[in-house]
Amino acid sequence: MTVTLGDGHSTPASSSVPVTSAPHPVSTTGTDGSADYMTISITNVYGSQLSLSFLSNAGAPAPVGNQSATVLPDNSPTQYAFPTGWAGRIYVGSNTDYRSSKIEGSLTGPPDIDVSYVDGYSIPITCSSKGTAVSSCNIDLFKQPGITCKNQVDGPVCLNPAQNIADGPVPPFFKACAGAAYTYPNDNTVQRKQPQE
């Protein structure tokens, strides 16, 4: 699983940039063919350093390796391995605000991953598996002509006014990503593809 942070318009990551964290699971599939781990590779092409923070669902096993909040330099990759039974989220932005853009994932059944702007938006995120987009919106919502965020906090993070409205509608600031990333809690219009193992 590959996650790209940013709209991809900055300089691509150099192959000489070291990976900042790279756990290596012993195996990626069990003897019955089920996934033991889902590895998420994250590359920052946003144009500045970004903070990553992690939250596993209650009772879920922890990711392999260091899951402490960390800073990912611009044009740098990292990767994390998530064990069978894991479900949770990775918050991404210029700070560790839990209302920022997030990657949500689960390995409680078939591997599942999506992009969520339900709580708020900080940066564009694209998720792909073997080169195929799974869930993504690479539009920088802060640069939309004529559309502004009505509730912006430090980061910047644009708070989503639909975060507690189960069935939407999509707020104007988030409309450009409708159908590509979650923009309200039950946004089942998101066109997602199952990650390829």
Side-chain angles (χ1 to χ4, degrees):
M1 185 68 53
T2 303
V3 176
T4 304
L5 308 175
D7 62 10
H9 289 102
S10 61
T11 307
S14 164
S15 59
S16 65
V17 177
V19 172
T20 57
S21 172
H24 297 286
V26 174
S27 67
T28 56
T29 57
T31 56
D32 63 355
S34 64
D36 280 344
Y37 291 91
M38 174 171 59
T39 301
I40 299 178
S41 301
I42 301 172
T43 303
N44 177 4
V45 295
Y46 184 62
S48 64
Q49 72 179 21
L50 292 169
S51 295
L52 305 175
S53 57
F54 304 83
L55 180 64
S56 294
N57 288 2
V64 176
N66 184 358
Q67 64 174 341
S68 300
T70 188
V71 172
L72 184 61
D74 187 35
N75 288 323
S76 295
T78 189
Q79 60 183 353
Y80 296 90
F82 297 88
T84 298
W86 176 83
R89 56 210 52 80
I90 305 169
Y91 300 96
V92 184
S94 62
N95 58 29
T96 55
D97 192 318
Y98 70 92
R99 301 166 295 183
S100 61
S101 299
K102 66 173 100 23
I103 304 158
E104 297 176 319
S106 172
L107 199 52
T108 58
D112 186 32
I113 192 162
D114 64 67
V115 174
S116 176
Y117 302 145
V118 171
D119 294 325
Y121 170 87
S122 53
I123 66 156
I125 299 176
T126 302
C127 294
S128 62
S129 177
K130 296 185 179 179
T132 301
V134 176
S135 173
S136 63
C137 184
N138 68 347
I139 299 167
D140 189 338
L141 298 180
F142 288 118
K143 295 180 180 176
Q144 297 179 90
I147 300 174
T148 59
C149 174
K150 302 232 185 275
N151 192 3
Q152 186 171 312
V153 296
D154 285 343
V157 174
C158 182
L159 301 182
N160 189 338
Q163 66 183 320
N164 295 316
I165 304 171
D167 296 318
V170 180
F173 181 81
F174 296 85
K175 201 166 221 55
C177 287
Y182 278 80
T183 55
Y184 56 88
N186 293 337
D187 187 358
N188 296 318
T189 64
V190 174
Q191 299 299 311
R192 295 178 14 200
K193 294 180 180 164
Q194 200 71 319
Q196 299 172 16
E197 296 179 42

